[in-house]
Amino acid sequence: MEVQFLPVQAQLSSGGSNEQSLYGSYALKTYTIADGLPSKNTTATLKDRRGFIWIGTENGLCRFDGYTFKVFYHKEETILPLATIT
């Protein structure tokens, strides 16, 4: 699966055949592993209040700033044993 960002384009109808876009036109861009995604399968997508798009994949969590992907991987050694939690 590829990640595709497709903005919703609202249409304003005046009753005639002359429809006008509220937000203009947008292009569709497809991102793949070649662009920096760690996996071709995605599990979740979220846009935060700072404008970053976060993408969950099978192989890591990505932060997309509109230009590049920063990948965060899970490290096994960061897990605390249950005996150390009090």
Side-chain angles (χ1 to χ4, degrees):
M1 173 185 280
E2 300 170 335
V3 176
Q4 297 182 345
F5 299 115
L6 178 63
V8 176
Q9 184 178 22
Q11 298 290 326
L12 178 65
S13 178
S14 60
S17 62
N18 214 3
E19 292 191 17
Q20 187 177 26
S21 170
L22 293 176
Y23 302 106
S25 60
Y26 295 94
L28 176 67
K29 172 72 176 152
T30 301
Y31 295 95
T32 65
I33 294 172
D35 298 303
L37 286 172
S39 174
K40 66 179 184 175
N41 297 318
T42 60
T43 57
T45 305
L46 172 85
K47 183 176 179 183
D48 70 15
R49 64 179 165 229
R50 293 181 294 168
F52 291 116
I53 298 174
W54 293 86
I55 304 160
T57 73
E58 294 175 329
N59 297 329
L61 177 66
C62 299
R63 184 183 70 197
F64 184 64
D65 63 6
Y67 301 99
T68 59
F69 291 96
K70 166 102 171 119
V71 182
F72 300 89
Y73 296 100
H74 174 73
K75 293 182 180 179
E76 291 293 330
E77 64 270 8
T78 60
I79 298 175
L80 294 174
L82 288 177
T84 63
I85 300 174
T86 57

